[in-house]
Amino acid sequence: ITYANDVFLDISEFTLRELLEKPHSIVRSKAMPRSAFKLIWDKLGRGEEVFAYVVNRTKNDNHYWVFAHITPSIDQKGDVIGYHSNRRRPEPQAVAKISKVYDAVLAEEAKHKNGKQSLAAGSALLDQMISLSGMDYDEYVLSL
């Protein structure tokens, strides 16, 4: 984390000193499936922007939802040098829909003791649920 505005500090319950230069995983909630993060990082790894619903944890182990728009930051040579994320308060009806998806994916991930198997099974379920919507990921997440 290289920057945090006052709204983020208030919501996350962290101080600026506690967040700066820390990995973003400091606010990772256990309610967020690893498979959803894999999907996000796979898209970013291909140089794509990502819109995603993310549930984060606060310093005091509360949680909050954001609708994140994450883009890779590219240098003059075309290399990814970091990421920029803008976050908005999501609509409650969108959170209600995506939380059901995430709950199902978390339950699938929990069925597997092996981390790789857990991630593969959760990713397969997430892909299947999106596919059943008849939309690709971007259409699906923006339709919520």
Side-chain angles (χ1 to χ4, degrees):
I1 298 174
T2 59
Y3 171 79
N5 64 27
D6 289 340
V7 173
F8 179 49
L9 296 174
D10 288 344
I11 292 170
S12 71
E13 301 172 343
F14 285 95
T15 66
L16 185 60
R17 175 173 272 164
E18 291 170 320
L19 289 175
L20 283 184
E21 304 305 320
K22 298 292 190 301
H24 198 271
S25 60
I26 194 170
V27 294
R28 184 173 189 274
S29 170
K30 292 177 183 161
M32 183 71 182
R34 290 178 58 224
S35 307
F37 277 123
K38 180 184 183 316
L39 187 151
I40 291 167
W41 283 109
D42 286 351
K43 288 180 75 61
L44 289 170
R46 294 188 300 268
E48 300 173 22
E49 68 179 348
V50 181
F51 288 90
Y53 289 91
V54 178
V55 58
N56 286 330
R57 78 166 192 90
T58 69
K59 178 180 174 178
N60 297 311
D61 283 327
N62 295 309
H63 74 276
Y64 62 96
W65 284 89
V66 297
F67 184 57
H69 176 211
I70 311 162
T71 57
S73 298
I74 310 293
D75 68 11
Q76 291 178 343
K77 294 184 280 183
D79 296 328
V80 175
I81 57 170
Y83 303 93
H84 179 85
S85 182
N86 290 315
R87 282 128 190 274
R88 298 186 292 221
R89 178 184 306 163
E91 294 295 328
Q93 66 272 19
V95 170
K97 291 176 186 176
I98 199 66
S99 63
K100 289 178 185 175
V101 171
Y102 285 179
D103 288 347
V105 173
L106 283 168
E108 182 62 32
E109 289 178 353
K111 292 178 186 177
H112 305 273
K113 301 276 187 227
N114 176 288
K116 287 183 182 180
Q117 292 173 345
S118 172
L119 185 58
S123 294
L125 179 59
L126 183 58
D127 289 346
Q128 178 185 22
M129 294 174 87
I130 293 168
S131 179
L132 288 173
S133 74
M135 296 178 254
D136 67 17
Y137 172 80
D138 295 318
E139 293 171 314
Y140 177 75
V141 78
L142 293 172
S143 76
L144 297 175

